[in-house]
């Protein structure tokens, strides 16, 4: 097992899952604290890197496109302070961070995890029920209904109709945009019967966000709803979206080519590991794996033998 403990949080890797626990330091963002512990299955990873710095470094996970409902809703617009897959590492722990990277990369090679996009969510949504107050509203989502309640900052034309409740079946899509400069952000629920041209300030299906400290928490509500809508890639292919599965049940997409080998290898079965070693040798001979990649993967298997 690889583990790195910092004030910013603790990351552990057991060969199958990267487990992330946010730190209790006052500098840790509200979003990361509210999200809590996150278990990232190996099959959801596209890569990992360590960025060294003069005073501290940063350990970063890169997830496969479409694997995480939170990243799906935030679309790369989530700031580094709130990004749950980033760990600030003290300079004197850079060696541990580099070892952590090597262990994860070895596992990705051994399990032949493809870095490309997926057509189902491999990470679960934020825990339900969830309630967040920010901007001009409070939102509660219990998995079936979304309830928006207005506060004193809400425009009268928007609040005059009273609290708004939407059934999940009514929602076709969710949009989240952080504030930038003088422009407000918003969280909006799109339905077939509501015009999308209405500014969030006046839209009874939207929350207007002003850029305050709690605003990023609205992304958690958006992620919880998105996780229960058809996955965009599955929908485009005409497939039925699978619900977000528990991390312990996720399997690498690449490993599904040989279910028996994968199941045996996960238990360090001797014959399965030897078969995997032969497969890697064939990939190396075919020019698919470089000599360095083959050597790294081989050493990882030999350790398990």
């Amino acid at each position: 097992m690889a583990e790195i403990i910092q004030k910013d949080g603790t990351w552990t890797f057991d060969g199958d899952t990267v487990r992330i626990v946010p730190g209790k330091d006052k500098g840790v963002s509200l979003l990361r604290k509210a999200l809590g512990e996150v278990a990232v299955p190996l099959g959801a990873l596209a890569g990992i890197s360590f960025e060294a710095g003069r005073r501290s470094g940063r350990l970063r996970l890169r997830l496969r496109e479409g694997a995480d409902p939170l990243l799906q809703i935030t679309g790369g617009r989530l700031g580094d302070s709130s990004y749950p897959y980033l760990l600030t590492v003290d300079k004197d722990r850079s060696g541990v961070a580099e070892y952590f990277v090597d262990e994860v990369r070895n596992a990705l090679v051994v399990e032949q995890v493809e870095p490309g996009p997926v057509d189902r969510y491999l990470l679960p949504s934020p825990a339900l029920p969830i309630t967040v107050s920010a901007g001009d509203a409070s939102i509660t989502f219990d998995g079936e209904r979304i309830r928006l309640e207005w506060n004193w900052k809400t425009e009268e034309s928007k609040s005059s109709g009273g609290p708004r409740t939407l059934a999940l079946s009514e929602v076709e899509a969710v949009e989240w945009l952080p504030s930038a400069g003088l422009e407000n952000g918003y969280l909006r629920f799109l339905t077939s019967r509501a015009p999308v041209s209405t500014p969030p300030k006046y839209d009874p299906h939207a929350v207007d966000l002003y850029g305050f400290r709690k605003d990023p928490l609205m992304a958690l509500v958006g992620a919880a709803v998105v996780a229960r809508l058809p996955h965009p890639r599955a929908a485009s292919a005409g497939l039925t979206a699978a619900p977000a599965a528990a991390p312990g049940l996720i399997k690498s997409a690449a490993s599904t080519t040989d279910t028996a080998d994968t199941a045996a290898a996960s238990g360090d079965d001797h014959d399965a590991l030897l078969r995997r070693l032969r497969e890697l040798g064939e990939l190396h001979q075919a020019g698919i794996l470089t000599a360095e990649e083959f050597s790294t993967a081989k050493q990882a298997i030999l350790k398990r033998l």
Side-chain angles (χ1 to χ4, degrees), residues 110 112 261 264-265 268-282 294 298 300-302 304-305:
V110 169
Q112 302 177 41
D261 280 2
D268 283 355
D269 179 88
H270 185 271
D271 292 339
L273 290 172
L274 289 177
R275 284 196 296 271
R276 180 56 58 85
L277 196 57
R278 286 195 294 271
E279 290 173 1
L280 290 172
E282 293 170 359
F294 172 65
K298 182 177 69 173
I301 292 178
L302 291 177
R304 296 171 69 176
L305 281 170

Side-chain angles (χ1 to χ4, degrees), residues 43-45 63-69 72 118 120-124 231:
L45 289 179
L63 272 61
R64 298 171 68 183
E65 182 184 341
D68 180 17
Q72 183 70 33
V118 295
R120 65 188 180 101
Y121 294 118
L122 302 182
L123 277 81
H231 192 284

